[in-house]
Amino acid sequence: MAKMSVLLGFFVGFVLLGLVSSRNFEELYQPSWALDHFTQEGDTLKLKLDNYSGAGFASKSKYMFGKVSMQIKLVEGDSAGTVTAFYVSVIHMSSDGPNHNEFDFEFLGNTTGEPYLIQTNVYVNGVGNREQRMDLWFDPTKDFHTYSVLWNQRQVVFLVDETPVRVHTNLEHKGIPFPKDQPMGVYSSIWNADDWATQGGRIKTDWSHAPFLASYKGFEIDACECPVSVAAVDNAKKCSSSAEKRYWWDEPTMSELSLHQNHQLLWVRANHLIYDYCADAARFPVTPTECVHHRH
């Protein structure tokens, strides 16, 4: 019995920790604007965009490291000019402040019959301009698909149905800042962006097709919750593994993609990548530093 207790204590001491939150919207999130543009049908939440307003929601807590997922079904039919966004962000003082970190999924609507485009972006210390655009290997308006962001001290990974579509690696050893010292909230919204979203703004929103509806379910956060009252440096320590606790996102297998995931990412880039800021010599005559070092 004593030996069993010792073994049990050893196992408990090395259990992989995380904050596994429920799939219930009300427990994790709250509307942030246009409450009258929200509808709930069973376990499905719908956000509405019309010519009066869009809508958005935000997580009740902030987190540092872990994984955030949502199942989203995008606006059907003619969605030109609309943007549905899912992003993880920290904003200090204002969205234009020097400490603005953000990981973006933006789903750019299109005319009927044309594919949705996904734009991803990474902001670090207020600097973005790291856009990548791709189409998808399925129609995201016909069914729900899972969109996720994995964040740890080594990498940020964007995933679609668990397939990695982008990796942003920690290259601090090359002098490149990486977002790992500030808790971040989780947000989603739908709004009109017909000045740029569809074919560079050439195609405008057709309000005769309104309201535009984006549907959500399967809200999931497995991350380290950070109280607002705690200093960022203390949160960073709290959410990192130590001799007393181990978090799953700090495990060696989470520090980089597996061989299979690497193959998946290469397939996505070869078959679905449409635009990569790293290859845009017109915008960046000098290749951005991280592009020189990033393998993907």
Side-chain angles (χ1 to χ4, degrees):
M1 181 66 71
K3 183 177 181 180
M4 183 173 290
S5 298
V6 171
L7 289 173
L8 181 60
F10 178 84
F11 174 77
V12 171
F14 281 84
V15 67
L16 299 181
L17 301 176
L19 173 66
V20 182
S21 297
S22 77
R23 293 168 176 258
N24 188 304
F25 174 83
E26 289 78 11
E27 291 181 28
L28 297 176
Y29 296 96
Q30 58 192 4
S32 49
W33 51 290
L35 183 58
D36 61 341
H37 281 54
F38 285 72
T39 58
Q40 189 96 28
E41 298 178 5
D43 63 350
T44 300
L45 176 74
K46 294 187 177 183
L47 267 59
K48 178 174 71 173
L49 167 67
D50 55 26
N51 56 354
Y52 295 102
S53 178
F57 60 85
S59 62
K60 294 180 178 179
S61 299
K62 292 187 182 295
Y63 306 89
M64 186 177 290
F65 310 132
K67 185 178 181 182
V68 178
S69 299
M70 289 183 193
Q71 294 178 37
I72 306 174
K73 183 166 70 170
L74 298 175
V75 175
E76 294 186 57
D78 186 345
S79 57
T82 71
V83 172
T84 305
F86 162 40
Y87 55 104
V88 182
S89 174
V90 55
I91 299 174
H92 280 200
M93 297 178 62
S94 77
S95 60
D96 298 319
N99 295 318
H100 178 200
N101 294 339
E102 189 168 307
F103 316 137
D104 287 343
F105 268 114
E106 290 179 318
F107 306 96
L108 311 183
N110 221 325
T111 54
T112 303
E114 295 295 318
Y116 253 87
L117 297 183
I118 288 186
Q119 176 169 284
T120 59
N121 202 353
V122 177
Y123 285 79
V124 185
N125 294 340
V127 179
N129 298 324
R130 298 181 176 92
E131 299 92 345
Q132 291 183 1
R133 287 189 182 186
M134 64 190 66
D135 57 23
L136 290 164
W137 51 95
F138 54 82
D139 183 344
T141 72
K142 298 303 181 187
D143 205 349
F144 286 92
H145 292 270
T146 302
Y147 303 92
S148 309
V149 175
L150 166 68
W151 174 36
N152 60 32
Q153 298 188 65
R154 300 291 298 276
Q155 60 180 356
V156 178
V157 184
F158 295 80
L159 304 112
V160 176
D161 290 336
E162 294 303 312
T163 295
V165 298
R166 181 174 184 174
V167 176
H168 185 80
T169 306
N170 185 339
L171 296 172
E172 286 182 307
H173 63 287
K174 300 289 187 180
I176 300 169
F178 183 80
K180 66 179 183 63
D181 58 355
Q182 299 177 68
M184 302 175 80
V186 187
Y187 307 86
S188 189
S189 56
I190 183 171
W191 77 93
N192 178 44
D194 66 5
D195 57 332
W196 65 271
T198 305
Q199 297 183 26
R202 288 190 295 273
I203 299 183
K204 303 300 182 181
T205 303
D206 183 349
W207 293 110
S208 69
H209 294 147
F212 303 100
L213 297 173
S215 302
Y216 300 78
K217 65 179 183 179
F219 303 94
E220 198 165 355
I221 297 177
D222 186 355
C224 184
E225 188 173 4
C226 297
V228 176
S229 58
V230 177
V233 64
D234 294 325
N235 275 320
K237 292 177 181 177
K238 168 181 177 286
C239 296
S240 300
S241 295
S242 66
E244 292 78 31
K245 63 184 186 300
R246 285 175 60 187
Y247 291 109
W248 65 263
W249 50 81
D250 286 330
E251 288 299 289
T253 54
M254 294 291 105
S255 65
E256 60 184 7
L257 299 185
S258 67
L259 181 61
H260 175 63
Q261 289 175 319
N262 265 302
H263 289 160
Q264 289 179 310
L265 180 58
L266 290 171
W267 176 82
V268 168
R269 292 184 62 83
N271 294 280
H272 296 280
L273 186 66
I274 293 171
Y275 173 84
D276 185 355
Y277 77 105
C278 287
D280 191 339
R283 283 181 67 198
F284 304 101
V286 178
T287 303
T289 309
E290 69 265 21
C291 297
V292 176
H293 301 289
H294 270 140
R295 290 180 300 162
H296 305 300

